[in-house]
Amino acid sequence: MENSTQILVQDRAKPKNNQPRSRPFSASNRFSETKKLDFSTWVSENLYKIITIFLLITTVAALFFLRNYGAAGGDTAALLCLQSTQSHSIHPKFPVINWNSIPRIVDKITPFANFRSEKWIVVSVSDQPSDSLRKMNSIKGWQVLAVGNSKTPKDWSLKGAIYLSLEIQAQLGFRVVDYLPYDSYVRKSVGYLFAIQHGAKKIYDVDDRGDVIDNDIGKHFDVELIGEGARQEVILQYSHENPNKTVVNPYIHFGQRSVWPRGLPLENVGEIGHEEFYTEVFGGRQFIQQGISNGLPDVDSVFYFTRKPVLEAFDIRFDEHAPKVALPQGTMVPVNSFNTIFHSSAFWGLMLPVSVSSMASDVLRGYWAQRLLWEVGGYVVVYPPTVHRYDRIEAYPFSEEKDLHVNVGRLIKFLVGWRSNKHRLFEKILELSYVMAEEGFWTEKDVQFTAAWLQDLLAVGYQQPRLMSLELDRPRANIGHGDRKEFIPQKLPSVHLGVEEIGTVNYEIGNLIHWRKTFGNVVLIMFCSGPVERTALEWRLLYGRIFKTVIILSGQKNIDLAVEEGQLDHAYKYLPKLFNRYTSAEGFLFLQDDTILNYWNLLQADKTKLWITNKVSESWTSVSIAGNSDWFVKQAGPADFIDLVNLVGDLDIHHKVAIPMFFPALDLPQNFDPVLSSMVYKQNIPSNSTSFYSAEVPAVHPWKVSSEQDFIKLIRIMASGDPLLMELV
């Protein structure tokens, strides 16, 4: 350390130009007349030096204080407090708007100044009109509005469609134009305002590579919510029974369990069980309607790049006969800009954020809008396939989704818990955008953009909806047996890990439901020694069907895959944080990725007791209870476990020593559940690992999974105990 410090000091003192450093020299200065120097003159001439020295002394004093504070045992706390303050001290400027003095903006520059239509299709165009767009342009009763960007050909034209070039957009007088990037689809915000200005009551938000099925937007969508054309019916709705269920994968409902939409938190990818039951809601307030896309559904780049065996186009199909399904307050779903209808009561929710990556913009908009939709008594409904999107095998890079994977899970939790005491919708919208900037979900630019957007809405004549009381704050009613509605989704052909599935089977998962009921409130904590880039999602797919959640720990953190950092040698020190995170869980099961869990053989185990491999003689070391590649902590135990971890403190005690000491302190060994005593345990991996695997035991050790191919191999042999696993490969 001394040598390193010395080198650094020498490097800093070294002149930049290798020449001897010389001071400025002037003969006239050297022999000039001596000045008479009184105190006031000296202060005035050296004021900047005094200030500099004062700041330097203050800084040194502050550092000295922190150092002394640390010597007294508070160093870590002081630094953590400082870091916490810095990370949450984002205070954007809150826009001040006089809502009552916003002048109207009228169309004075386009040939369509007097044109009016209630139904608009708004699409972003970067190339010449596609065949899909030409077909949409022929749908009767709907006006196509194409919004250009810097990539759009100068000669873009489609007879019957209205085209807004960059030049026209700049002249429309909308405030939002000042915030929009030139080369992005988020310029559709201008198109939304133009459509509202020209009489829109419904806006179909879509892209130009999807064919509307049967060229009929109203085949599945509820285009009319009131009047003669409205479907007066009740709608199937996800159950609100579990308040912790804040997001769902709608693709499961429509027959595709192993496919997930862009915007679904990666930690929820493994939750592939269907609903035990639904409820119902009266139709008429489904102001945002999300359609499913056949062919290339809206999937993220993780799915796109890990589910293709060769360079070929996706053609995934969903159940067109499955009923549409609504989302209750407190539960969200990814909403995109590719295939969605917004009714006028939700037009304010069309705003596409500008400070996040392009492939995160519409998803963040969707969650933001869903939360605000509850304030006006509206809800989102997901519909059977309404378009067929073609896979051009030109997927966007993962970097375009960075804002999505890093923040979306935290965003959903934040939004469900957010409350506002404002008395008008637009005030709530602006407040939420501001708080989201404070929380780091987007930047101050989107706060200012929101203010511009809301003012533009009022300027084109939009009337903000009235607020309604929030159902979330009411006591949740018990769901009686007669209110429970059953729907068993189909299981349709799909693609899993690059292997096509053949045939259609009914969704018969009685055993899976039984296992889920048994372990659905148990948290699985899994430590991965192998490459998480190739296995993290697969482990979640396997075990996420059974357990409340699957937390992946690894030596290195991977935010994109929701992998948390934790060193195996001291994994037990990280567990208290997880216990505190899931206080309502029945228990916690720790598992290393070199041990396979046959969960179907754990049903008879007692969840009120501790589980550990203390009776597996092959796993013993010099400590009486050891090895312990997997163990279970009951819910009554975490508090005591945390106390034991706190007693260890900073001592460097390996988990193979710590855990065998902890468990006898938690309970008498004879009271441990012996469920793991019959597991298959070998010291080394056999040359033919499949030969010693048994589906009749609770667990098998050791096992190596380091790639998708290893995972497929594992799933196929585990299917002897859980045949439904074959649907994953």
mmCIF file of all heavy atoms in Angstrom, residues 199-218:
data_model
loop_
_atom_site.group_PDB
_atom_site.id
_atom_site.type_symbol
_atom_site.label_atom_id
_atom_site.label_comp_id
_atom_site.label_asym_id
_atom_site.label_seq_id
_atom_site.Cartn_x
_atom_site.Cartn_y
_atom_site.Cartn_z
ATOM 1 N N GLY A 199 -61.639 15.509 -33.056
ATOM 2 C CA GLY A 199 -62.861 14.803 -32.696
ATOM 3 C C GLY A 199 -62.748 13.379 -32.221
ATOM 4 O O GLY A 199 -63.767 12.685 -32.110
ATOM 5 N N ALA A 200 -61.557 12.878 -31.922
ATOM 6 C CA ALA A 200 -61.388 11.471 -31.537
ATOM 7 C C ALA A 200 -62.148 11.135 -30.258
ATOM 8 O O ALA A 200 -62.123 11.895 -29.290
ATOM 9 C CB ALA A 200 -59.911 11.150 -31.364
ATOM 10 N N LYS A 201 -62.803 9.979 -30.253
ATOM 11 C CA LYS A 201 -63.425 9.397 -29.070
ATOM 12 C C LYS A 201 -62.788 8.044 -28.730
ATOM 13 O O LYS A 201 -62.861 7.576 -27.622
ATOM 14 C CB LYS A 201 -64.929 9.199 -29.286
ATOM 15 C CG LYS A 201 -65.692 10.482 -29.591
ATOM 16 C CD LYS A 201 -65.607 11.485 -28.441
ATOM 17 C CE LYS A 201 -66.400 12.745 -28.755
ATOM 18 N NZ LYS A 201 -66.227 13.782 -27.702
ATOM 19 N N LYS A 202 -62.184 7.420 -29.758
ATOM 20 C CA LYS A 202 -61.438 6.173 -29.580
ATOM 21 C C LYS A 202 -60.155 6.269 -30.387
ATOM 22 O O LYS A 202 -60.175 6.735 -31.536
ATOM 23 C CB LYS A 202 -62.221 4.941 -30.050
ATOM 24 C CG LYS A 202 -63.538 4.706 -29.323
ATOM 25 C CD LYS A 202 -64.702 5.170 -30.130
ATOM 26 C CE LYS A 202 -66.007 4.968 -29.380
ATOM 27 N NZ LYS A 202 -67.146 5.591 -30.118
ATOM 28 N N ILE A 203 -59.060 5.852 -29.800
ATOM 29 C CA ILE A 203 -57.774 5.835 -30.505
ATOM 30 C C ILE A 203 -57.196 4.428 -30.426
ATOM 31 O O ILE A 203 -57.011 3.875 -29.339
ATOM 32 C CB ILE A 203 -56.786 6.855 -29.907
ATOM 33 C CG1 ILE A 203 -57.267 8.288 -30.190
ATOM 34 C CG2 ILE A 203 -55.377 6.649 -30.472
ATOM 35 C CD1 ILE A 203 -56.372 9.377 -29.609
ATOM 36 N N TYR A 204 -56.941 3.848 -31.591
ATOM 37 C CA TYR A 204 -56.310 2.532 -31.677
ATOM 38 C C TYR A 204 -54.814 2.753 -31.855
ATOM 39 O O TYR A 204 -54.354 3.207 -32.895
ATOM 40 C CB TYR A 204 -56.897 1.755 -32.847
ATOM 41 C CG TYR A 204 -56.399 0.329 -32.994
ATOM 42 C CD1 TYR A 204 -55.962 -0.409 -31.897
ATOM 43 C CD2 TYR A 204 -56.380 -0.291 -34.246
ATOM 44 C CE1 TYR A 204 -55.521 -1.705 -32.033
ATOM 45 C CE2 TYR A 204 -55.947 -1.600 -34.400
ATOM 46 C CZ TYR A 204 -55.515 -2.303 -33.287
ATOM 47 O OH TYR A 204 -55.070 -3.601 -33.417
ATOM 48 N N ASP A 205 -54.055 2.422 -30.812
ATOM 49 C CA ASP A 205 -52.605 2.606 -30.801
ATOM 50 C C ASP A 205 -51.965 1.324 -31.326
ATOM 51 O O ASP A 205 -52.072 0.267 -30.692
ATOM 52 C CB ASP A 205 -52.159 2.891 -29.364
ATOM 53 C CG ASP A 205 -50.816 3.586 -29.292
ATOM 54 O OD1 ASP A 205 -50.343 4.076 -30.334
ATOM 55 O OD2 ASP A 205 -50.237 3.651 -28.190
ATOM 56 N N VAL A 206 -51.285 1.398 -32.466
ATOM 57 C CA VAL A 206 -50.854 0.180 -33.149
ATOM 58 C C VAL A 206 -49.546 0.448 -33.889
ATOM 59 O O VAL A 206 -49.139 1.611 -34.046
ATOM 60 C CB VAL A 206 -51.971 -0.284 -34.121
ATOM 61 C CG1 VAL A 206 -52.117 0.685 -35.269
ATOM 62 C CG2 VAL A 206 -51.750 -1.706 -34.620
ATOM 63 N N ASP A 207 -48.859 -0.612 -34.316
ATOM 64 C CA ASP A 207 -47.686 -0.433 -35.166
ATOM 65 C C ASP A 207 -48.009 -0.910 -36.579
ATOM 66 O O ASP A 207 -49.085 -1.433 -36.832
ATOM 67 C CB ASP A 207 -46.437 -1.120 -34.589
ATOM 68 C CG ASP A 207 -46.472 -2.638 -34.706
ATOM 69 O OD1 ASP A 207 -47.514 -3.182 -35.141
ATOM 70 O OD2 ASP A 207 -45.481 -3.287 -34.357
ATOM 71 N N ASP A 208 -47.068 -0.721 -37.487
ATOM 72 C CA ASP A 208 -47.369 -0.953 -38.912
ATOM 73 C C ASP A 208 -46.948 -2.327 -39.397
ATOM 74 O O ASP A 208 -46.830 -2.544 -40.603
ATOM 75 C CB ASP A 208 -46.710 0.126 -39.765
ATOM 76 C CG ASP A 208 -45.187 0.091 -39.693
ATOM 77 O OD1 ASP A 208 -44.650 -0.620 -38.821
ATOM 78 O OD2 ASP A 208 -44.532 0.783 -40.496
ATOM 79 N N ARG A 209 -46.753 -3.291 -38.493
ATOM 80 C CA ARG A 209 -46.417 -4.634 -38.970
ATOM 81 C C ARG A 209 -47.395 -5.684 -38.442
ATOM 82 O O ARG A 209 -47.051 -6.841 -38.269
ATOM 83 C CB ARG A 209 -44.982 -5.004 -38.603
ATOM 84 C CG ARG A 209 -44.631 -4.986 -37.127
ATOM 85 C CD ARG A 209 -43.237 -5.560 -36.935
ATOM 86 N NE ARG A 209 -42.753 -5.385 -35.566
ATOM 87 C CZ ARG A 209 -41.630 -5.936 -35.106
ATOM 88 N NH1 ARG A 209 -40.891 -6.675 -35.908
ATOM 89 N NH2 ARG A 209 -41.247 -5.737 -33.867
ATOM 90 N N GLY A 210 -48.628 -5.237 -38.174
ATOM 91 C CA GLY A 210 -49.639 -6.168 -37.707
ATOM 92 C C GLY A 210 -50.898 -6.090 -38.544
ATOM 93 O O GLY A 210 -51.397 -4.998 -38.839
ATOM 94 N N ASP A 211 -51.402 -7.258 -38.957
ATOM 95 C CA ASP A 211 -52.671 -7.323 -39.687
ATOM 96 C C ASP A 211 -53.806 -7.495 -38.691
ATOM 97 O O ASP A 211 -53.792 -8.446 -37.885
ATOM 98 C CB ASP A 211 -52.676 -8.510 -40.655
ATOM 99 C CG ASP A 211 -51.751 -8.300 -41.841
ATOM 100 O OD1 ASP A 211 -51.256 -7.175 -42.011
ATOM 101 O OD2 ASP A 211 -51.517 -9.283 -42.583
ATOM 102 N N VAL A 212 -54.767 -6.594 -38.731
ATOM 103 C CA VAL A 212 -55.956 -6.758 -37.898
ATOM 104 C C VAL A 212 -56.706 -7.997 -38.376
ATOM 105 O O VAL A 212 -57.002 -8.139 -39.568
ATOM 106 C CB VAL A 212 -56.861 -5.513 -37.981
ATOM 107 C CG1 VAL A 212 -58.151 -5.738 -37.196
ATOM 108 C CG2 VAL A 212 -56.119 -4.288 -37.454
ATOM 109 N N ILE A 213 -56.981 -8.922 -37.440
ATOM 110 C CA ILE A 213 -57.616 -10.185 -37.808
ATOM 111 C C ILE A 213 -58.997 -9.922 -38.397
ATOM 112 O O ILE A 213 -59.824 -9.219 -37.804
ATOM 113 C CB ILE A 213 -57.708 -11.112 -36.574
ATOM 114 C CG1 ILE A 213 -56.280 -11.496 -36.123
ATOM 115 C CG2 ILE A 213 -58.518 -12.366 -36.889
ATOM 116 C CD1 ILE A 213 -56.221 -12.340 -34.877
ATOM 117 N N ASP A 214 -59.220 -10.471 -39.581
ATOM 118 C CA ASP A 214 -60.466 -10.282 -40.338
ATOM 119 C C ASP A 214 -60.719 -8.820 -40.671
ATOM 120 O O ASP A 214 -61.839 -8.451 -41.041
ATOM 121 C CB ASP A 214 -61.667 -10.843 -39.565
ATOM 122 C CG ASP A 214 -61.586 -12.363 -39.402
ATOM 123 O OD1 ASP A 214 -60.925 -13.008 -40.245
ATOM 124 O OD2 ASP A 214 -62.153 -12.890 -38.440
ATOM 125 N N ASN A 215 -59.698 -8.002 -40.539
ATOM 126 C CA ASN A 215 -59.808 -6.565 -40.828
ATOM 127 C C ASN A 215 -60.983 -5.919 -40.067
ATOM 128 O O ASN A 215 -61.614 -4.977 -40.543
ATOM 129 C CB ASN A 215 -59.976 -6.314 -42.330
ATOM 130 C CG ASN A 215 -59.029 -5.224 -42.824
ATOM 131 O OD1 ASN A 215 -57.919 -5.059 -42.309
ATOM 132 N ND2 ASN A 215 -59.453 -4.477 -43.822
ATOM 133 N N ASP A 216 -61.219 -6.438 -38.853
ATOM 134 C CA ASP A 216 -62.354 -5.984 -38.052
ATOM 135 C C ASP A 216 -61.875 -5.688 -36.631
ATOM 136 O O ASP A 216 -61.683 -6.610 -35.832
ATOM 137 C CB ASP A 216 -63.442 -7.053 -38.046
ATOM 138 C CG ASP A 216 -64.688 -6.632 -37.266
ATOM 139 O OD1 ASP A 216 -64.732 -5.469 -36.811
ATOM 140 O OD2 ASP A 216 -65.598 -7.469 -37.109
ATOM 141 N N ILE A 217 -61.681 -4.409 -36.323
ATOM 142 C CA ILE A 217 -61.196 -4.025 -34.994
ATOM 143 C C ILE A 217 -62.217 -4.372 -33.923
ATOM 144 O O ILE A 217 -61.864 -4.701 -32.784
ATOM 145 C CB ILE A 217 -60.866 -2.513 -34.971
ATOM 146 C CG1 ILE A 217 -59.699 -2.221 -35.934
ATOM 147 C CG2 ILE A 217 -60.529 -2.042 -33.564
ATOM 148 C CD1 ILE A 217 -59.353 -0.753 -36.050
ATOM 149 N N GLY A 218 -63.495 -4.325 -34.270
ATOM 150 C CA GLY A 218 -64.541 -4.590 -33.293
ATOM 151 C C GLY A 218 -64.863 -6.053 -33.090
ATOM 152 O O GLY A 218 -65.772 -6.388 -32.322
#
